[in-house]
Amino acid sequence: MGRHRRQQRARGRRSGRAPDAHRRRTRFHPVRPDHHPPNRSPRVPAESNVMTSTSMRTHQCGELRPEHIGQQVTLTGWVATRREHGEKLAFIDVRDHTGVTQAVVDNTVDVRSEYVVRVTGTVAARPTENLNEKLATGGIELQDCTVDILNVAEAPPFPVSERADQVAENTRLQYRFIDIRRERMQRNLRLRAAINSAIRTSMEDQGFVEVETPMLVPSTPEGAREFIVPSRQQPGSFYALPQSPQLFKQLLMVAGIDRYYQIARCLRDEDLRADRQYEFMQLDAEMSFVDQLDVHEAIGACVVAAAKAAGQDPGEIIKITWHEAMNRFGSDKPDLRFGMELTELTDVFAATEFKAFAGAATIKGINAAGKADDYGRNKLDGMTDKAKKMGAKGLVWLKVAADGTLESPVAKFLGEAEQAALKSALSAQPGDLLLIVADEWATTCEVLGTLRNDIGRPPVYEGPYRYLWVIDFPMFVGVDAVSGHPIPAHHPFTRPHPDDLHLLETDPMNVRSQAYDLVLNGWELGSGSIRIHEHELQARIFTILGISDEEAQKKFGFFLNPFRYGAPPHGGFAFGIDRLVAVLAGEENIREIIAFPKTQSGMDPMTNAPTPVVQKQLDELGIRVLPPKA
RNA sequence: GGUCCCGUGGUGAAGUGGAGUUCACGCCGGCCUGUCAAGCCGGAGGUCGCGGGUUCGAACCCCGUCGGGACCGCCA
């Protein structure tokens, strides 16, 4: 740019208005190549043919093709880049969420990065030697352009491109309104919208009725920590924000809604993670007169619809029992994309003289095929530490040498026959790394399951997508050391497995429940259960849990009493939409598919929430803030 | 509540006791008529998160603190 541009800038600034005067002829233009990392997220399906022209534009920046050649069009958007070629020629790329188009302009047009512009010009074929195959609009450009500056812009803090993937996330969140201009965020948010839409359509096609439940609800201190909201009219009393619509949706079954759903915002005041935010969205559903197969079918259809909205066909959703999941994968949310299954070795070492193995309840191993060279002493020690932290007494590792012998500190304690049986059981080949744990069944499974994930789990954006139902969860997860009562694995309204009812009092730890999880590539998408609808069974469960009638009445009275008025058999499910979208988008972190997420410490770098409030607000609520702890 | 990692011009990085030094991008100015992450030349821009300590001397070592991230606990 030269003199002209400088002068125009000066004039525009002096007058303090958008420089309408900047109408310049240009020639034409293309779209910036949409960055799309290989094996990354799916593209949002083609948008419908809705009319997106407005009084200010005729087309969007990603839609012009050679078939439009000769038409006069008007585009609106942001200046993505400017390439100058002397006083008479410059190229500007105009961007909106659909893509970019190259406009050929007179270099006296003073537009800079992220200026908001309207460009009117004639669609023209690019010279054949100047086609840009990286751009969807790379066959054309706008020529004879008039450029209106609709707004000026300061230089953005980071580039509005895939290069900002390298920028500190905190900076991206602080300027989220710029970050979301990027193709990645546009794609993620639009994918999310498409999935939400598919979920609604699927649920409604299946006769589910959307009912909205309150955000201000009574506090029920079981389970996750709640956000509480002080009541102004009842000083000293508080609402809670819902962890889930659980109680309301069950009452809707009593109320004869029959099939309820809601895309519900849920809030939990627990520490944040890559897959957890304070507030998150769930597809929440409940059905009357069903068994768990009915629920699996309905929710499965909904998830399939969501996957198809992301351009995928998930195929059949398989089912395995919790026990099988633990036994084979050492996890209740197994990632089925890779093998390395847990192999039973208890019999192999039944008569061993190796003290660490002798008498162990369960001995299992995994074969990290070909990984022997990847795991040196440091990493192996680290894995051993991890195993011990998880409660195992130790971890045995063996490397298979080129000649087939086992290299390990403990090899000398294992007999030849044992070594041969071990190699056979694990199909060991030279270069393999074998890991063995001998302990209680649960510990053995969990430790090896964790190591299996650590060693073998592919990145989230690597397919295929493997959905599964994990069914027959145990009713109880352990026994309270103080009270001696069993600890429920799910909420206390979960229905026991009908075949195990007789064991409730005598052998509670072997009672299965009618609870189930939906798992995708190692992510727990959600869980549900058939509920208890009869008063007698509920009372029996409370007795087993050590909850007195009085206590039950006090804690859950508003929920239990309605069940006396004709509660139908019912069950339901809820799955986290954020997690589903993240996996389908190929994102490791749900913040990438949320427009305005919180950081790990629960803050929003853009709004600076949470903030102190003025004293008057506290006074009205009868709240006094204590000084910080020393 | 805990473990570990990270804070250096607008952005990303390099700098492990000796001058705010370096690189790329961006920004500002100049040149440039077919670029498309244009190119070439020049320039500006920093309280090395903050506070304290050690040292003749600290971006660098120590302590604290704030902010960010991963994980454990937690998430019926």
Side-chain angles (χ1 to χ4, degrees), chain A residues 209-228:
Chain A
V209 176
E210 181 171 17
V211 179
E212 293 157 82
T213 54
M215 291 298 284
L216 297 174
V217 302
S219 169
T220 51
E222 284 71 30
R225 186 182 293 117
E226 301 170 317
F227 284 96
I228 59 171

Side-chain angles (χ1 to χ4, degrees), chain A residues 305-571:
Chain A
K308 286 183 174 167
Q312 299 164 17
D313 184 353
E316 194 192 357
I317 304 179
I318 68 164
K319 293 183 190 183
I320 69 175
T321 64
W322 174 85
H323 191 271
E324 182 183 353
M326 294 304 296
N327 235 354
R328 291 174 55 195
F329 304 102
S331 170
D332 60 4
K333 46 179 181 178
D335 190 333
L336 301 186
R337 289 176 299 166
F338 65 106
M340 213 189 292
E341 289 193 25
L342 279 53
T343 300
E344 184 63 49
L345 298 172
T346 313
D347 289 345
V348 171
F349 297 108
T352 190
E353 292 180 7
F354 181 36
K355 282 184 206 160
F357 286 177
T362 301
I363 305 175
K364 282 174 175 287
I366 56 176
N367 180 353
K371 299 281 190 184
D373 291 342
D374 297 346
Y375 286 82
R377 201 52 188 255
N378 271 351
K379 283 188 181 178
L380 292 166
D381 286 349
M383 285 200 288
T384 303
D385 285 347
K386 189 162 189 172
K388 285 180 177 170
K389 273 183 192 162
M390 293 183 67
K393 287 183 272 296
L395 173 70
V396 167
W397 57 264
L398 309 98
K399 290 181 177 180
V400 186
D403 62 1
T405 58
L406 292 174
E407 296 173 350
S408 167
V410 306
K412 56 179 176 270
F413 301 117
L414 302 177
E416 257 180 51
E418 282 177 346
Q419 294 198 17
L422 170 65
K423 283 189 280 190
S424 166
L426 289 173
S427 305
Q429 300 296 321
D432 290 355
L433 171 65
L434 314 180
L435 300 170
I436 303 174
V437 173
D439 221 296
E440 296 303 315
W441 176 79
T443 304
T444 299
C445 294
E446 285 167 15
V447 169
L448 285 173
T450 299
L451 297 177
R452 171 181 177 268
N453 276 336
D454 288 351
I455 295 169
R457 196 170 171 203
V460 67
Y461 53 79
E462 269 183 28
Y465 292 82
R466 302 289 301 274
Y467 297 78
L468 73 152
W469 289 104
V470 179
I471 60 172
D472 292 353
F473 269 75
M475 189 82 181
F476 306 102
V477 290
V479 177
D480 189 286
V482 178
S483 70
H485 291 291
I487 302 165
H490 295 270
H491 60 65
F493 319 116
T494 304
R495 189 174 197 81
H497 195 289
D499 296 348
D500 298 345
L501 280 173
H502 62 288
L503 300 173
L504 269 173
E505 286 80 9
T506 53
D507 187 11
M509 298 315 293
N510 276 319
V511 174
R512 292 165 294 171
S513 67
Q514 295 191 65
Y516 33 86
D517 278 5
L518 180 62
V519 175
L520 168 57
N521 291 5
W523 290 51
E524 179 192 324
L525 290 183
S527 58
S529 63
I530 301 297
R531 330 292 185 187
I532 298 168
H533 63 276
E534 321 92 312
H535 180 263
E536 298 74 23
L537 181 57
Q538 187 66 67
R540 204 174 145 196
I541 296 294
F542 279 148
T543 302
I544 290 166
L545 296 177
I547 299 173
S548 68
D549 286 353
E550 195 180 35
E551 191 182 353
Q553 203 44 235
K554 195 175 156 192
K555 282 184 173 171
F556 308 113
F558 79 93
F559 173 65
L560 295 174
N561 292 338
F563 276 54
R564 300 177 185 167
Y565 293 85
H570 63 284

